[in-house]
Amino acid sequence: MLFKEKDSILRHPSFNKFWISRMFSSTSFQMLSVAIGWQMYDLTHDAFSLGFVGLAQFIPMVLLTFVVGQVADRFDRRRIVFICQLIEALIAGLLLFGNVGGWLGKEAIYAAAAILGACRAFEGPTSSALLPQLVPKAMLQQAIAWSTSVGQTTQILGPSLGGLLFALGPVSVYGTAAAALFIGAILTFLIRTEPIERKFEPVTLRSVFMGLSFIYRHPMILGTISLDLFAVLLGGATALLPIFAQDILHAGPVGLGLLRTAPAVGALLMSIVLAYFPLRKSVGLKLFAALGVFGLATMLFAISTNLVVSLVALFFIGASDVVSVVIRSSLVQLQTPDDMRGRVNAVNSLFIGTSNQLGEFESGIVAGFLGAAPAAFVGGIGTLVVAGLWMYLFPSLRRMRSLSEE
């Protein structure tokens, strides 16, 4: 039975197009991030310029969150994703021609980064809200697991491919990314979804913030989203990897590369396991067990002075984090009405992005006062404390048996 379900989802034409399109789009974005950062530093030799590139990509996500939700719930989500990918392809093309023509400066790169950030702000939540329209409800958890595997694969493949192509020249990166994004856009355009009757309610402050209100009224969704927010915020040991590689493990640049790859490999393998073996029973307890593994693995990484042990710890950090991601994403999709999915997914994306950004900031600040190893160890303890506290504050989440229960 298990393999029949798996085979049927991989043979589903719309899901296949969606999956491959995400692979092209996410890989291209990772490649563009590497190329833009490298070229900006090559032009300016200024570390602050790199920070502003990241800021240019992050600010649109914050500013557009509630606009994105409204748009995704009022219009055809497939067309929104298609338009975003097409614009991203055009930006990559402009960066290509800017290099060929010799007119590309830092102002143009900042503008390109901001537009790419705005497109990703729309594309991410809208893609998440689109997915339930492509597969039967019973297959949604598997679809999310396969979709998560794309994200992990592109985190491994994208930066490496971007770096290799940039060695041949920026034209190679931008040209490849533009072509891949265009192919992804065409695949998205070819996706077929069941027609859905849209409720064109007036745009009011109440409708704009309805996603926040919906999350607040549903304890299990509020519990999973806030649990992930605080767990990632406290357990951001991966932000300190350069310090561990250089000063603690003495592993050099090669070791840093391995340390960065280990959590992504763990996450990728776990997402594939969850695609074949979906979580069906005691889902709430498994969520908290995964957070426990995440916290303990973070503490092990913090005290390790051996590269192999550190890699194993990071592998389990990535693997346990994916369990939380799949449970959270599945729960949000299954318990949110279709006419609310855009707004709820937009808020969810904001929480994820904020937790990642603030988690890196928090880890850096604590490491500055205590040192890298104590900061990571305290973060692991904090994750365990949050998990225990959330088990008490959200008993319905702890008692959740399946993802589809109300």
Side-chain angles (χ1 to χ4, degrees), residues 31-101:
M31 291 166 55
L32 288 172
S33 296
V34 169
I36 286 173
W38 189 285
Q39 191 159 26
M40 176 61 81
Y41 191 72
D42 195 41
L43 285 171
T44 65
H45 298 286
D46 179 17
F48 285 106
S49 298
L50 292 178
F52 285 126
V53 168
L55 192 64
Q57 292 179 332
F58 178 68
I59 285 177
M61 185 181 73
V62 177
L63 296 181
L64 295 173
T65 293
F66 298 106
V67 176
V68 168
Q70 278 287 320
V71 172
D73 283 337
R74 294 173 68 88
F75 302 102
D76 186 336
R77 292 163 184 159
R78 178 185 59 87
R79 291 184 180 179
I80 295 170
V81 175
F82 165 72
I83 291 170
C84 288
Q85 292 174 339
L86 198 60
I87 293 174
E88 290 165 19
L90 291 174
I91 293 299
L94 286 174
L95 291 169
L96 166 66
F97 288 115
N99 275 276
V100 171

Side-chain angles (χ1 to χ4, degrees), residues 315-357:
F315 177 91
F316 279 101
I317 286 173
S320 58
D321 185 49
V322 160
V323 176
S324 171
V325 169
V326 171
I327 291 176
R328 184 191 67 245
S329 300
S330 300
L331 187 68
V332 169
Q333 303 291 28
L334 288 168
Q335 298 205 1
T336 304
D338 185 77
D339 61 348
M340 286 291 301
R341 282 197 180 115
R343 281 166 284 188
V344 171
N345 275 289
V347 174
N348 190 26
S349 295
L350 177 62
F351 273 44
I352 294 170
T354 301
S355 65
N356 288 331
Q357 297 291 333

Side-chain angles (χ1 to χ4, degrees), residues 185-205:
I186 296 300
L187 289 171
T188 299
F189 182 79
L190 295 175
I191 290 174
R192 293 292 172 258
T193 61
E194 293 295 327
I196 294 176
E197 186 177 346
R198 302 286 179 190
K199 297 179 181 178
F200 288 99
E201 56 185 302
V203 178
T204 63
L205 278 178

Side-chain angles (χ1 to χ4, degrees), residues 68-267:
V68 168
Q70 278 287 320
V71 172
D73 283 337
R74 294 173 68 88
F75 302 102
D76 186 336
R77 292 163 184 159
R78 178 185 59 87
R79 291 184 180 179
I80 295 170
V81 175
F82 165 72
I83 291 170
C84 288
Q85 292 174 339
L86 198 60
I87 293 174
E88 290 165 19
L90 291 174
I91 293 299
L94 286 174
L95 291 169
L96 166 66
F97 288 115
N99 275 276
V100 171
W103 51 263
L104 189 70
K106 66 176 185 178
E107 292 80 10
I109 294 177
Y110 282 137
I115 296 171
L116 287 172
C119 287
R120 296 297 290 184
F122 275 92
E123 185 182 347
T126 307
S127 293
S128 297
L130 173 65
L131 183 55
Q133 295 178 232
L134 307 181
V135 298
K137 186 175 180 180
M139 296 180 184
L140 184 58
Q141 187 190 151
Q142 291 171 286
I144 289 172
W146 279 112
S147 183
T148 302
S149 73
V150 170
Q152 302 305 324
T153 301
T154 57
Q155 285 186 32
I156 300 170
L157 178 64
S160 302
L161 186 57
L164 288 172
L165 289 173
F166 199 91
L168 301 175
V171 170
S172 301
V173 185
Y174 297 133
T176 303
L181 284 164
F182 183 73
I183 293 171
I186 296 300
L187 289 171
T188 299
F189 182 79
L190 295 175
I191 290 174
R192 293 292 172 258
T193 61
E194 293 295 327
I196 294 176
E197 186 177 346
R198 302 286 179 190
K199 297 179 181 178
F200 288 99
E201 56 185 302
V203 178
T204 63
L205 278 178
R206 179 179 176 274
S207 69
V208 167
F209 292 101
M210 197 174 287
L212 276 174
S213 175
F214 180 87
I215 291 170
Y216 180 76
R217 295 196 314 269
H218 291 75
M220 283 201 286
I221 295 179
L222 175 62
T224 45
I225 291 178
S226 58
L227 176 63
D228 186 77
L229 169 66
F230 286 103
V232 173
L233 184 65
L234 293 171
T238 53
L240 306 175
L241 291 183
I243 301 175
F244 277 89
Q246 183 172 345
D247 299 337
I248 298 173
L249 299 172
H250 307 289
V254 174
L256 176 59
L258 292 173
L259 292 173
R260 287 194 178 279
T261 303
V265 171

